[in-house]
């Protein structure tokens, strides 16, 4: 059976931690979309890790980890990350890179960087990892699959064709130097040798695993708000962040997906451009304090180090996020972070043009939305690491009940700290 672990919000909800937790009782963990442009923080017996491209099951020797065909594979970053984790004492992981996966190439990173420069102040806040140009090329059918690396004439021909287009852009739109096929080819052939041991038929592997009744986890990157169709368009990422896309990006049949675990934090955080609408944002000193206390080391991007914008829990966005993800169960993370507050504001509605709604709107309306807050009593104590739900203070349990009622999806896992074991199971 297949379980997807996906984000209800803007990303950074704590999916890595939940995946690491559930991987213990799973056989396969698959990344199905996105690239190395976001990070998952995991704290376990081996130490603290910020994974960018490797699936979060790599700490378990019994788990097969797959980089699915839906991922944007930056081979250099993958090899570096593998080197980094094994240097920290993690055993060599079981890893399969789908031969159908496409490669994020150096020109994607250049194009992303040049385009952000060109847009200057109006940029979308890209991490300049090449993700948008990568997916554009994939859908324009000029991408390079991992399997192409093993057919040199085909690879040369594909690169030559792609560079004809890229070089026009580079020289004439961005006024930058052109790239040469032969140089790129030799770079890719070198990368091929580094990833060769891991490349395989992930599609066949996944279908066999399902026949053998194995448990497969799909690990999403970013969250519902960043989906290019159902998210806050155009401030989204370029691949689908929804569990439904897991069927494509991990090659699992839709009928095999039995659970969708939607992860959300007990407050909000959002990376990206300042121009993005973020209705329940807290700024000023209150925001600085929440940012400092958030996550395991403050709310700063795991990949970029950028300070994340923070806000109070947003019921409107989270209800919508859980709905479009098809959540069967919600994991609420970082509840421990809120223990310093006397009262905790929760955004229960948006006021748009004088009317209050709890329906998440499209972008032209979202930019006008003002938050409607309700204040809940805080619990004023440290609950970090509590594993018995019944032992949480009444105010903390009431807070969870309140959120559950407003988002309309059952909260089953309450995470009370960043470590693998810091969880209180509710149902
Ligand atoms: P992901 O991309 O969804 O995996 O999320 P990130 O790893 O980018 O961000 C989540 C942050 O919250 C990380 O710093 C985690 O270590 C931390 N974290 C996860 N769960 C908890 C929790 O229950 N309490 C606290 N204090 N931190 C948590």
């Amino acid at each position: 059976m297949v379980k997807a672990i996906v984000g209800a919000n803007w990303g950074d909800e704590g999916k890595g931690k939940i995946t690491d937790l559930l991987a213990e009782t799973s056989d396969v963990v698959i990344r199905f979309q996105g690239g190395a442009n976001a990070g998952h923080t995991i704290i376990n017996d081996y130490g603290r890790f910020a994974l960018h491209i490797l699936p979060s099951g790599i700490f378990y020797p019994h788990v097969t980890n797959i980089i699915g065909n839906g991922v944007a594979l930056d081979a250099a970053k993958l090899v570096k990350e593998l080197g980094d984790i094994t240097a920290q004492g993690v055993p060599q992981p079981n890893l399969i890179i789908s031969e159908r996966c496409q490669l994020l190439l150096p020109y994607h990173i250049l194009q992303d960087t040049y385009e952000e420069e060109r847009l200057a102040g109006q940029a979308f806040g890209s991490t300049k990892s090449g993700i948008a140009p990568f997916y554009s090329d994939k859908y324009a059918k000029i991408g390079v699959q991992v399997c192409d690396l093993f057919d040199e004439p085909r690879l040369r021909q594909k690169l030559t064709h792609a560079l004809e287009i890229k070089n026009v852009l580079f020289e004439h739109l961005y006024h930058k130097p052109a790239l040469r096929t032969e140089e790129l080819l030799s770079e890719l052939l070198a990368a091929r040798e580094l990833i060769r041991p891991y490349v395989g038929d992930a599609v066949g592997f996944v279908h066999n695993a399902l026949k053998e009744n194995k448990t497969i986890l799909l690990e999403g990157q970013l969250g519902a708000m960043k989906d290019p169709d159902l998210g806050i368009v155009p401030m989204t990422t370029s691949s689908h962040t929804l569990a439904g896309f897991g069927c494509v990006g991990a090659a699992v049949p839709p009928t095999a997906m039995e659970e969708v675990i939607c992860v959300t934090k007990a407050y909000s955080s959002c990376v990206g451009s300042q121009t993005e609408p973020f209705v329940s944002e807290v700024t000023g000193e209150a925001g600085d304090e929440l940012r400092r206390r958030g996550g395991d080391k403050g709310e700063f991007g795991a990949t970029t180090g950028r300070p994340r914008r923070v806000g109070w829990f947003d019921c409107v966005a989270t209800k919508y996020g859980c709905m479009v993800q098809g959540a069967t169960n919600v994991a609420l993370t970082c509840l421990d972070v809120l223990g310093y507050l006397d009262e905790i504001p929760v955004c229960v509605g948006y006021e748009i043009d004088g009317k209050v709604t709890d329906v998440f709107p499209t972008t032209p309306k979202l930019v006008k939305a003002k938050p409607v807050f309700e204040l809940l009593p805080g619990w004023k104590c440290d609950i970090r690491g509590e594993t018995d739900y019944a032992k949480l203070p009444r105010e903390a349990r009431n807070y969870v009940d309140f959120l559950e009622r407003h988002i309309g999806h059952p909260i089953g896992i309450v995470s009370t700290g960043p470590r693998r074991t810091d969880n209180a199971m509710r149902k």
Side-chain angles (χ1 to χ4, degrees):
M1 71 119 124
V2 178
K3 298 181 193 177
I5 300 166
V6 287
N9 306 112
W10 297 264
D12 308 316
E13 296 95 345
K15 297 174 295 293
K17 181 202 149 160
I18 302 295
T19 309
D20 179 52
L21 168 73
L22 299 182
E24 191 169 4
T25 50
S26 305
D27 306 292
V28 183
V29 177
I30 312 179
R31 280 279 314 267
F32 64 90
Q33 43 87 219
N37 54 328
H40 301 267
T41 312
I42 293 177
I43 299 166
N44 55 29
D45 296 344
Y46 294 108
R48 182 182 194 274
F49 299 87
L51 299 180
H52 303 290
I53 185 93
L54 284 171
S56 297
I58 47 144
F59 301 101
Y60 295 102
H62 73 275
V63 171
T64 302
N65 294 277
I66 297 180
I67 300 194
N69 52 277
V71 169
L73 178 67
D74 183 330
K77 285 199 181 142
L78 174 81
V79 169
K80 179 172 182 314
E81 204 162 294
L82 273 170
D84 287 349
I85 61 151
T86 45
Q88 275 185 264
V90 179
Q92 192 67 36
N94 297 318
L95 177 70
I96 301 174
I97 300 171
S98 173
E99 60 197 352
R100 290 181 175 274
C101 195
Q102 296 202 6
L103 291 156
L104 190 135
L105 298 170
Y107 54 68
H108 293 130
I109 299 174
L110 290 174
Q111 191 177 337
D112 212 352
T113 312
Y114 298 159
E115 182 62 11
E116 286 279 303
E117 265 173 45
R118 191 180 74 87
L119 291 173
Q122 299 143 45
F124 288 125
S126 157
T127 56
K128 305 186 189 75
S129 319
I131 300 294
F134 167 89
Y135 283 105
S136 312
D137 285 359
K138 181 171 180 168
Y139 294 110
K141 296 170 286 186
I142 57 166
V144 176
Q145 282 186 305
V146 167
C147 52
D148 296 326
L149 292 175
F150 299 89
D151 182 333
E152 229 175 285
R154 183 181 163 84
L155 180 63
R156 178 178 282 107
Q157 190 230 325
K158 286 197 136 194
L159 293 178
T160 307
H161 175 61
L163 283 185
E164 275 169 16
I165 303 168
K166 295 295 166 194
N167 282 339
V168 173
L169 273 180
F170 287 3
E171 291 190 286
H172 300 289
L173 180 63
Y174 301 124
H175 309 291
K176 303 283 182 188
L179 300 184
R180 278 196 285 270
T181 307
E182 289 311 312
E183 275 170 30
L184 190 54
L185 184 71
S186 52
E187 248 181 81
L188 290 189
L189 293 180
R192 174 186 73 186
E193 293 319 304
L194 297 173
I195 63 169
R196 185 192 283 274
Y198 306 105
V199 175
D201 173 14
V203 179
F205 183 92
V206 164
H207 283 263
N208 278 334
L210 286 172
K211 266 191 219 136
E212 291 166 9
N213 288 324
K214 301 268 193 261
T215 301
I216 298 178
L217 293 187
L218 305 190
E219 178 180 21
Q221 184 222 31
L222 296 167
M225 301 294 135
K226 296 284 181 185
D227 184 78
D229 273 58
L230 300 184
I232 305 172
V233 180
M235 289 86 159
T236 63
T237 191
S238 305
S239 67
H240 293 291
T241 54
L242 302 180
F245 184 73
C247 300
V248 180
V252 299
T255 44
M257 198 177 290
E258 292 181 23
E259 282 183 39
V260 176
I261 299 156
C262 212
V263 187
T264 181
K265 270 184 190 147
Y267 53 91
S268 302
S269 72
C270 169
V271 275
S273 153
Q274 284 296 325
T275 56
E276 181 169 338
F278 183 33
V279 180
S280 67
E281 182 164 23
V282 203
T283 53
E285 255 175 50
D288 288 343
E289 173 144 42
L290 182 55
R291 184 174 307 105
R292 207 174 47 245
R293 290 175 177 271
D296 78 306
K297 278 194 166 179
E299 291 292 351
F300 299 92
T303 302
T304 57
R306 291 194 286 202
R308 294 175 182 151
R309 295 164 75 190
V310 290
W312 304 120
F313 190 86
D314 184 336
C315 295
V316 182
T318 310
K319 178 178 159 184
Y320 174 81
C322 289
M323 176 180 84
V324 295
Q325 289 288 15
T328 57
N329 195 351
V330 175
L332 182 72
T333 62
C334 296
L335 187 65
D336 53 297
V337 168
L338 301 178
Y340 69 102
L341 292 157
D342 294 322
E343 283 183 316
I344 310 171
V346 175
C347 175
V348 293
Y350 290 174
E351 191 193 313
I352 302 167
D353 295 331
K355 283 196 193 124
V356 175
T357 178
D358 66 353
V359 177
F360 190 76
T362 49
T363 311
K365 289 187 181 146
L366 184 67
V367 294
K368 297 197 242 168
K370 295 189 182 64
V372 177
F373 288 116
E374 246 181 70
L375 283 178
L376 270 69
W379 45 95
K380 293 294 287 178
C381 66
D382 187 5
I383 58 164
R384 194 177 265 218
E386 181 57 68
T387 54
D388 183 351
Y389 190 76
K391 286 199 185 136
L392 288 176
R394 186 162 41 86
E395 293 81 359
R397 283 182 282 124
N398 285 346
Y399 184 79
V400 178
D401 291 345
F402 183 91
L403 301 191
E404 184 179 70
R405 264 200 316 282
H406 278 80
I407 62 177
H409 292 267
I411 298 175
I413 304 172
V414 174
S415 169
T416 55
R419 289 171 311 164
R420 187 186 273 173
T421 47
D422 299 337
N423 306 292
M425 297 302 171
R426 183 152 171 264
K427 284 173 188 154

